[in-house]
Amino acid sequence: MRLRDLLVSFGLMWPANALAIDPGETDPAAIMAAVENRDAGDKQVARLQITIKDKAGRERTRVVQSRTLDFEGGTRQLIIFESPADVRNAGLLSVDFEDGSKSDDQWLWLPSLNKTTRISSNDKSGSFMGTDMSYSDMTKKDPSAYAYTMVDANAEVGGEACWLIEAKPITDKEKSETGYMKTHMWVSKDKLLAVQSKAWVIAGKRLKYTKMTDIKQVDGIWIPHKLTVRTTRDGQLESQSILHFTDLKLNQEDVVEADFSEQRLRRGL
Amino acid sequence: MAHEGESRIFRAWASIVLRLRPLFGLLLVSIMIGAVYQVSTKLRLETSPEYFAQGSSDAYETLNTFRDDFGRDDMYLVLVEGDVFTTPFLDQLRTLHEELEGLQVEFEGSQDEVAPTAETETTTAAEDDWGEDEDWGDDDWGEDEGWDDTEGGSVIEEVTSLINYRQTEFSGGAIQVRGLLDDPPAEAELTALRAKVLADKGMVGNVIGAEGRHAVLAVRSQVMSEDESREVQRTLEAMVAAHNTPGFEIAVTGMPALETNLSSTLLSDMRRLGAGAFALMGIVLFVLFRHPVGVIAPLVVSAMSIAWTLAAMATAGVPVTLISNIIPAFLICVGLGDSVHVISVYRDLKTEGMNNHDAIISAVGSTGMPVLFTTLTTMVGLLSFRFASTQGIQEMGTAAAFGVFCAFALSVTLIPLALSGLKDSAMKRPPEKADNDFVDKILQLCTQLSATRAGRIRVGVGAVIAVIIAAIGISKVNVYHNPLDWLAEDDPVRTSMETLDEEIGGASNFVVVVENDSELGVKDRELLLGLEALDAHVRGFIHPRTNQTLVSSTMSLVDIVKETNRALHEGDEAHYALPADQRGVSDALLLFESAGPDDLRRIATADLRKTHLTARIDWMDATAYLPLKDHIEEGVATLLPKGSTVTAKPTGTVYSLVTVVGALIGDMLLSFSVAAGIIVLMMVFLLRRPSLGLIAMIPNLLPVAFILAFMGFTNIPIDLATLLIASIVIGIAVDDTIHYMHQYRVTHDATGDRERSLQQALDHAGRAIVSTSLILSLGFSVYLASSMANIQRFGLLVALACGFALFTNLILVPALLRTLHGDDRATA
């Protein structure tokens, strides 16, 4: 489930009452295992504004509405485009499997053709909808594929106590799928959220900085409503993506199985 | 006390230098140490032709903006020859592809990355577009050291080959954007694969040759400095060498490889031949002066002038370019010329019986002023390059002018210091050769040619015939810039570029950047229809010279939309076309972005308002691309939608080169005209008579005409290597003329006797002029041994220019003076 998994994979959706890790914990593997094995909530609806900027300051904004529903072994997500006007009512239905060996499925509804088209992609290091985020950024990580190191058990971000943990992929598959040499994550001890991260991108020796802000509780779960990703090279900003969630709600009873069908895609907004 | 024609100021200066020898010696050594340090640590070499366009037309800015938006347009092209459609070849190609993607190069002292702090944003991001995000903060990353010392990471942005060539296809009931050989083909599939690939107009001429015998891996690196490029190429060549086996024969080529090869060969040849030229000049100096100081001192003056100038360039961050690399050679001319004049007069004075101390002071006193004037005229000529539109030429002019002043300062300082240690008896001309040696005979012969009226007529008629012949030669001069021709015929980069041209398609490219400010941006179907027509127009270009197509492949957003539309119709070739309506185009691009967004980033900006059409074209000389440039510009004007929202600009390496070469020719003419004009004024001022000043210009301009004519007759083109030859020739000629005319004027002012003045000019300046011309001609002849044609041509032209300047001065000046300048004694 793409957009929700995006938040999950950065450790952003955590039940406020599920802090099972002692703030004095210094074992990075234990902390990251907790990050990967959390309850992330279900039946989510949200409106998402995606803004992509390049280094010249040119930007493009798309607004989509999304619905998310878990199923046994995976997540379904429906995205309907609200703007820009020329793609309004186009829709994307995706099914993501927790089992990494299974290919995720995506169906795109294109009004001009009046039919749905299945999309297949194996390149997880590729960009998500033209943003600075990759599909692998939005995929749950297998802790056994990483070597974790505690860089700083007493780091701070904006005055908030954090663990600074380094995650280094130890398998070629993981390295290839993420495209990263390593990642530094600042995990908030209070909220148990990775409030920011820095990834060393192999291609072009770039750095990718991610920051979560506007963190609010929704149904008792800490949820950042804004995610900013900046890609830099040689200290120069290359591009930036901002994902801004509004009207984000969890446990919506009207999110049902029938929402994730071709008929619903055809109906549009 | 100053003697006739000697300058009090320069006598005083020589006295001070001799009095404070230790101080001046220490000062010169200290400056030299600092200069060597600066040169060895900070001097850069820059061989890319587009460097010259900086500060000129908007071509350079357009190219830079294009590279900012879409990455480098010039790529390393790894050419592999073999039986491509076999399993062993494709397996090895895959291995090489993957290794190239991970190419790691560590640069010394570079890659200084910084955290994305507010300060960085201010300096790198566009105005306040980044600053509005109040949540980002600027101190949350702690001591962020950027990439730091983390091992790994590649300087390679992208590798494109058969392995990952983009396929937007309908397969297994789904649309996918994937690499052609993401899944290795089975043996039984190879025949079908071959047929599919060789029928694809996007792949043939891009990543595969038409015969299926050559594959190309296009390697796009980051934008780097020359040093970094050299390092990358060294690593890349070492990597591919490990794969070079029979049946998988590899060559590294492409524009970055050519530029790196040019700069490396240029550097090594200049070093080797520069040393050779110095050695040969040293031998000639020894023959002339028969004393170690007479050899070493002028060479040290030249060497120090070069070192100081390069150090100044390094300090100011000015690189050595394909044009400014002539500065060392030019300063050898100037440094030796200045020094030899001082030492020649010194030796003459000692031969006449003067003691060492007085001879030094008197030599500096009598030559200081003409040397200063030659310096000023040369500096004016060089500073006229400030009028050029190109930054590279401007910088060259300023740097060389600085160097000329250094040569002057060192000639009147270091030479007295060096001579001060000699005994009174040292460096005199041998008694048996005191009169009528070989040089004297030449001088007398040249002067006597115009001694009679009939002689003057003969000289005049000869000059007129020479001018007519020169005019014919000048009309044959070509502007032709092709750096590939500079390299030896068996040079690996040259041969692989030629193979690439023959078997695959060109290593050059031509780009048209199209921007649409309307709401739809580049998704506008009308615009895409225009681009489609432009694509066909570009592909259909037939070069008038070869009568063959020049464009091997094209790539644009239209291809992506067509591929996607075909895939949306389950691979039906009939739908390899733009969708019938606007919504269809928007949907196709939405689908493509969902399935292969990284490819879209290479072809359109983030706001989808700017895109480009890139054509791969065969390698030709820069001016041969002019018809293509005109053809494309015509297509842009007629085929793209008319409207205030659409703008289109040609760019790319080739366009930049064509524009730069055109601008440089204009610059050359402008600079030369300005220099000639100012030199006339300075001549009038120096010689204190307008008539003499104008007469003096004739022997200065004729050698320029002769050299250009020689270029025309021998098919030596005007290119970046020979562009400034006219300015160098006038620089050499002016020096000869000033020394000659200065002596003439001093004597004529004192005696009013024209013939005596001519003889005096011959005796005092003539020998020095012959000596410097001989030294420089022989010295620059060494460059004929270069492995690069441009250096050979440059050496030949300078050597000839010295000869032309010498004989026009020795033969024409006396004839002109006898004809046009009155004899006051006679008239009195």
Side-chain angles (χ1 to χ4, degrees):
Chain A
M1 194 171 293
R2 301 293 188 199
L3 295 178
R4 198 203 54 173
D5 281 355
L6 173 65
L7 304 179
V8 171
S9 66
F10 281 100
L12 298 169
M13 293 181 68
W14 287 81
N17 57 358
L19 298 180
I21 296 288
D22 182 344
E25 177 65 62
T26 55
D27 178 4
I31 296 167
M32 293 314 296
V35 168
E36 296 298 336
N37 295 309
R38 61 200 179 272
D39 175 10
D42 194 10
K43 296 186 174 180
Q44 174 197 296
V45 294
R47 188 163 177 269
L48 173 63
Q49 179 178 292
I50 303 170
T51 304
I52 306 165
K53 289 184 183 182
D54 65 15
K55 60 183 162 190
R58 285 181 288 252
E59 67 174 64
R60 180 161 54 112
T61 298
R62 277 170 295 181
V63 178
V64 300
Q65 294 185 7
S66 82
R67 300 173 87 79
T68 307
L69 180 69
D70 285 352
F71 68 93
E72 185 64 35
T75 311
R76 292 192 180 88
Q77 181 169 28
L78 178 77
I79 291 175
I80 307 284
F81 284 81
E82 195 177 304
S83 69
D86 64 313
V87 292
R88 185 177 171 83
N89 281 327
L92 186 67
L93 174 63
S94 57
V95 179
D96 303 335
F97 298 99
E98 286 174 6
D99 181 352
S101 63
K102 285 188 178 176
S103 285
D104 298 340
D105 285 325
Q106 281 187 312
W107 288 267
L108 190 64
W109 163 256
L110 298 173
S112 63
L113 288 174
N114 198 29
K115 72 172 187 182
T116 53
T117 304
R118 191 161 75 84
I119 303 170
S120 167
S121 176
N122 296 322
D123 183 11
K124 289 196 183 299
S125 67
S127 160
F128 165 68
M129 293 178 74
T131 66
D132 289 79
M133 278 153 292
S134 67
Y135 283 102
S136 84
D137 288 339
M138 302 183 296
T139 305
K140 279 188 175 179
K141 302 292 183 290
D142 173 7
S144 67
Y146 287 86
Y148 294 107
T149 309
M150 179 64 72
V151 179
D152 185 356
N154 298 300
E156 278 193 10
V157 174
E160 191 165 348
C162 292
W163 291 288
L164 172 53
I165 294 169
E166 178 178 288
K168 211 167 187 173
I170 53 175
T171 65
D172 287 343
K173 178 172 175 286
E174 198 67 17
K175 199 186 269 189
S176 160
E177 285 192 353
T178 60
Y180 302 150
M181 290 298 302
K182 64 180 184 185
T183 307
H184 277 183
M185 285 172 287
W186 282 259
V187 178
S188 162
K189 294 180 178 178
D190 181 33
K191 303 186 180 81
L192 210 58
L193 304 174
V195 290
Q196 65 183 30
S197 71
K198 172 185 173 183
W200 280 249
V201 185
I202 296 168
K205 293 186 94 168
R206 292 182 166 79
L207 290 168
K208 195 193 281 186
Y209 294 87
T210 307
K211 204 167 184 71
M212 308 288 179
T213 50
D214 195 13
I215 302 168
K216 294 183 282 201
Q217 282 196 336
V218 178
D219 289 352
I221 297 176
W222 284 110
I223 297 183
H225 284 62
K226 188 171 178 184
L227 182 142
T228 310
V229 187
R230 290 181 174 183
T231 305
T232 71
R233 188 167 67 78
D234 287 347
Q236 305 279 311
L237 286 161
E238 285 201 327
S239 56
Q240 171 176 273
S241 301
I242 301 167
L243 278 73
H244 201 170
F245 293 88
T246 54
D247 305 327
L248 193 151
K249 294 171 191 160
L250 293 176
N251 305 317
Q252 298 301 296
E253 290 308 317
D254 63 339
V255 177
V256 293
E257 194 88 12
D259 284 341
F260 304 90
S261 63
E262 190 174 330
Q263 287 73 18
R264 179 66 187 84
L265 267 178
R266 282 172 178 272
R267 209 171 75 214
L269 291 167
Chain B
M1 174 134 186
H3 296 84
E4 181 187 299
E6 289 182 18
S7 157
R8 290 174 190 276
I9 294 171
F10 282 101
R11 282 185 62 86
W13 172 256
S15 299
I16 292 168
V17 171
L18 293 181
R19 206 177 310 137
L20 303 173
R21 276 193 302 172
L23 180 66
F24 277 98
L26 188 65
L27 189 67
L28 292 181
V29 169
S30 304
I31 297 174
M32 191 60 189
I33 290 170
V36 169
Y37 174 78
Q38 286 294 91
V39 171
S40 58
T41 57
K42 292 184 180 167
L43 192 65
R44 288 190 298 126
L45 187 66
E46 174 72 61
T47 51
S48 64
E50 53 264 28
Y51 179 79
F52 300 111
Q54 284 188 47
S56 66
S57 64
D58 65 354
Y60 181 76
E61 204 177 321
T62 306
L63 182 62
N64 265 353
T65 307
F66 171 78
R67 288 179 172 174
D68 268 356
D69 290 337
F70 302 107
R72 283 182 79 145
D73 57 319
D74 54 342
M75 290 179 278
Y76 289 102
L77 299 169
V78 180
L79 179 66
V80 191
E81 185 176 357
D83 199 352
V84 174
F85 296 98
T86 59
T87 301
F89 187 98
L90 292 176
D91 285 348
Q92 204 164 346
L93 190 71
R94 183 184 304 280
T95 308
L96 180 59
H97 181 110
E98 287 167 358
E99 284 186 19
L100 286 170
E101 280 182 328
L103 186 75
Q104 291 179 27
V105 184
E106 297 303 326
F107 303 120
E108 277 182 30
S110 63
Q111 305 288 308
D112 297 326
E113 302 187 42
V114 294
T117 60
E119 187 183 344
T120 311
E121 287 162 29
T122 307
T123 55
T124 59
E127 300 306 322
D128 55 359
D129 288 321
W130 303 90
E132 64 194 16
D133 184 2
E134 71 283 0
D135 299 324
W136 188 257
D138 59 5
D139 57 356
D140 289 336
W141 305 92
E143 296 293 320
D144 195 327
E145 294 168 349
W147 183 270
D148 60 44
D149 57 354
T150 300
E151 288 187 7
S154 176
V155 293
I156 301 304
E157 298 268 350
E158 181 188 35
V159 178
T160 307
S161 74
L162 281 176
I163 301 301
N164 67 340
Y165 195 83
R166 187 188 68 240
Q167 297 286 289
T168 308
E169 58 186 19
F170 188 83
S171 172
I175 282 181
Q176 50 187 339
V177 179
R178 60 199 297 276
L180 175 71
L181 302 178
D182 276 357
D183 302 318
E187 196 73 36
E189 295 169 334
L190 291 175
T191 307
L193 177 70
R194 178 191 166 90
K196 175 184 173 179
V197 168
L198 296 184
D200 188 308
K201 78 174 179 73
M203 281 191 265
V204 175
N206 197 356
V207 291
I208 184 84
E211 305 296 322
R213 289 284 308 161
H214 295 83
V216 170
L217 299 106
V219 182
R220 188 198 304 272
S221 70
Q222 298 168 359
V223 178
M224 290 175 292
S225 69
E226 293 267 337
D227 289 342
E228 290 170 344
S229 291
R230 259 194 297 280
E231 197 58 43
V232 167
Q233 184 159 339
R234 199 163 31 237
T235 314
L236 199 148
E237 283 175 343
M239 175 185 281
V240 301
H243 290 270
N244 200 355
T245 51
F248 198 84
E249 284 149 33
I250 313 177
V252 177
T253 183
M255 279 302 282
L258 175 63
E259 284 175 10
T260 305
N261 201 28
L262 278 175
S263 64
S264 303
T265 314
L266 194 71
L267 268 182
S268 98
D269 265 23
M270 293 300 274
R271 282 186 191 133
R272 184 169 57 87
L273 299 171
F278 258 77
L280 190 61
M281 290 174 187
I283 291 169
V284 181
L285 283 168
F286 184 76
V287 171
L288 281 172
F289 296 125
R290 306 292 174 100
H291 196 281
V293 174
V295 175
I296 294 167
L299 293 180
V300 171
V301 165
S302 296
M304 287 180 80
S305 308
I306 294 167
W308 290 12
T309 306
L310 295 179
M313 290 171 74
T315 307
V318 173
V320 175
T321 65
L322 283 175
I323 287 181
S324 60
N325 71 63
I326 63 164
I327 287 179
F330 184 71
L331 291 180
I332 290 175
C333 295
V334 174
L336 284 185
D338 292 351
S339 311
V340 166
H341 277 286
V342 178
I343 296 175
S344 284
V345 173
Y346 159 84
R347 192 172 72 142
D348 287 347
L349 293 170
K350 285 188 82 173
T351 307
E352 288 167 11
M354 201 176 275
N355 68 46
N356 194 55
H357 182 271
D358 290 350
I360 293 171
I361 290 176
S362 204
V364 173
S366 66
T367 55
M369 199 51 81
V371 168
L372 174 62
F373 267 94
T374 60
T375 300
L376 291 177
T377 49
T378 310
M379 284 177 74
V380 162
L382 291 165
L383 288 173
S384 69
F385 294 153
R386 299 300 303 177
F387 290 93
S389 61
T390 46
Q391 183 175 322
I393 299 273
Q394 291 177 9
E395 290 173 352
M396 184 272 175
T398 310
F402 175 79
V404 170
F405 187 80
C406 290
F408 159 72
L410 284 163
S411 296
V412 295
T413 308
L414 192 142
I415 297 291
L417 280 178
L419 296 175
S420 65
L422 298 186
K423 295 176 181 169
D424 289 342
S425 57
M427 219 196 280
K428 287 183 180 175
R429 282 163 65 190
E432 68 276 14
K433 293 192 176 180
D435 294 307
N436 295 327
D437 63 1
F438 174 70
V439 174
D440 285 325
K441 283 175 185 165
I442 290 178
L443 291 171
Q444 290 301 336
L445 177 69
C446 292
T447 309
Q448 290 310 313
L449 278 177
S450 58
T452 62
R453 188 168 179 276
R456 288 196 287 280
I457 291 170
R458 278 196 296 274
V459 169
V461 170
V464 169
I465 292 170
V467 168
I468 292 168
I469 294 171
I472 296 168
I474 291 170
S475 69
K476 294 177 183 291
V477 175
N478 283 318
V479 178
Y480 173 95
H481 178 71
N482 186 355
L484 202 59
D485 274 358
W486 296 351
L487 296 170
E489 286 186 2
D490 59 349
D491 182 276
V493 171
R494 177 171 175 173
T495 53
S496 54
M497 288 279 268
E498 287 167 351
T499 307
L500 190 80
D501 255 10
E502 286 166 18
E503 305 292 341
I504 307 280
S508 307
N509 60 51
F510 203 109
V511 181
V512 180
V513 177
V514 180
E515 195 162 7
N516 187 4
D517 268 340
S518 75
E519 185 66 31
L520 285 168
V522 296
K523 291 188 283 184
D524 186 344
R525 185 169 177 276
E526 291 303 311
L527 177 64
L528 292 177
L529 283 170
L531 264 180
E532 185 182 32
L534 182 62
D535 185 300
H537 178 77
V538 170
R539 278 178 169 272
F541 175 72
I542 304 290
H543 197 282
R545 189 197 291 173
T546 61
N547 218 23
Q548 290 182 336
T549 57
L550 193 63
V551 178
S552 56
S553 67
T554 53
M555 189 262 293
S556 77
L557 188 62
V558 175
D559 300 323
I560 285 178
V561 178
K562 285 180 172 179
E563 281 170 27
T564 311
N565 194 42
R566 178 177 59 190
L568 276 168
H569 292 85
E570 301 178 3
D572 183 355
E573 282 298 329
H575 288 276
Y576 187 75
L578 290 172
D581 56 25
Q582 180 58 55
R583 180 73 207 215
V585 171
S586 296
D587 280 353
L589 280 169
L590 179 68
L591 169 67
F592 186 83
E593 189 169 18
S594 301
D598 294 327
D599 289 296
L600 193 60
R601 281 189 171 199
R602 289 268 175 236
I603 198 93
T605 50
D607 60 353
L608 291 184
R609 288 181 193 276
K610 193 192 262 191
T611 185
H612 63 96
L613 183 153
T614 296
R616 276 273 288 277
I617 54 179
D618 290 349
W619 180 271
M620 295 185 88
D621 64 277
T623 44
Y625 290 125
L626 282 170
L628 173 69
K629 174 177 169 274
D630 294 342
H631 181 80
I632 292 179
E633 284 174 345
E634 180 204 338
V636 166
T638 56
L639 300 171
L640 295 180
K642 309 287 182 298
S644 57
T645 60
V646 177
T647 53
K649 283 183 179 174
T651 186
T653 310
V654 163
Y655 184 78
S656 165
L657 194 63
V658 173
T659 311
V660 163
V661 170
L664 290 178
I665 302 302
D667 280 350
M668 181 189 80
L669 292 172
L670 176 68
S671 302
F672 182 75
S673 306
V674 172
I678 295 176
I679 287 172
V680 169
L681 296 177
M682 292 189 70
M683 284 288 198
V684 170
F685 175 74
L686 168 68
L687 303 172
R688 297 183 194 164
R689 291 187 194 180
S691 58
L692 276 184
L694 291 171
I695 290 169
M697 284 312 288
I698 294 173
N700 287 329
L701 294 175
L702 275 182
V704 176
F706 292 159
I707 282 295
L708 290 175
F710 179 80
M711 291 171 71
F713 286 127
T714 55
N715 211 20
I716 294 176
I718 290 182
D719 60 13
L720 287 184
T722 54
L723 193 70
L724 299 179
I725 195 70
S727 301
I728 290 177
V729 176
I730 202 170
I732 292 169
V734 160
D735 285 7
D736 289 352
T737 310
I738 286 179
H739 284 288
Y740 193 101
M741 297 294 273
H742 176 76
Q743 283 301 328
Y744 174 85
R745 201 263 305 162
V746 166
T747 311
H748 196 269
D749 282 354
T751 66
D753 185 336
R754 188 176 59 204
E755 287 304 316
R756 189 178 157 193
S757 305
L758 282 173
Q759 191 58 47
Q760 192 71 6
L762 268 191
D763 291 345
H764 279 266
R767 292 189 62 85
I769 293 172
V770 173
S771 304
T772 53
S773 301
L774 191 66
I775 293 164
L776 295 175
S777 291
L778 286 172
F780 278 98
S781 302
V782 170
Y783 288 99
L784 289 168
S786 170
S787 59
M788 292 181 76
N790 57 322
I791 298 179
Q792 290 174 8
R793 292 170 190 158
F794 182 75
L796 174 67
L797 293 176
V798 174
L800 279 176
C802 294
F804 287 149
L806 174 68
F807 284 103
T808 49
N809 270 287
L810 293 184
I811 297 171
L812 269 184
V813 171
L816 287 165
L817 288 171
R818 282 169 171 144
T819 308
L820 303 171
H821 191 236
D823 186 335
D824 295 345
R825 183 184 56 83
T827 52

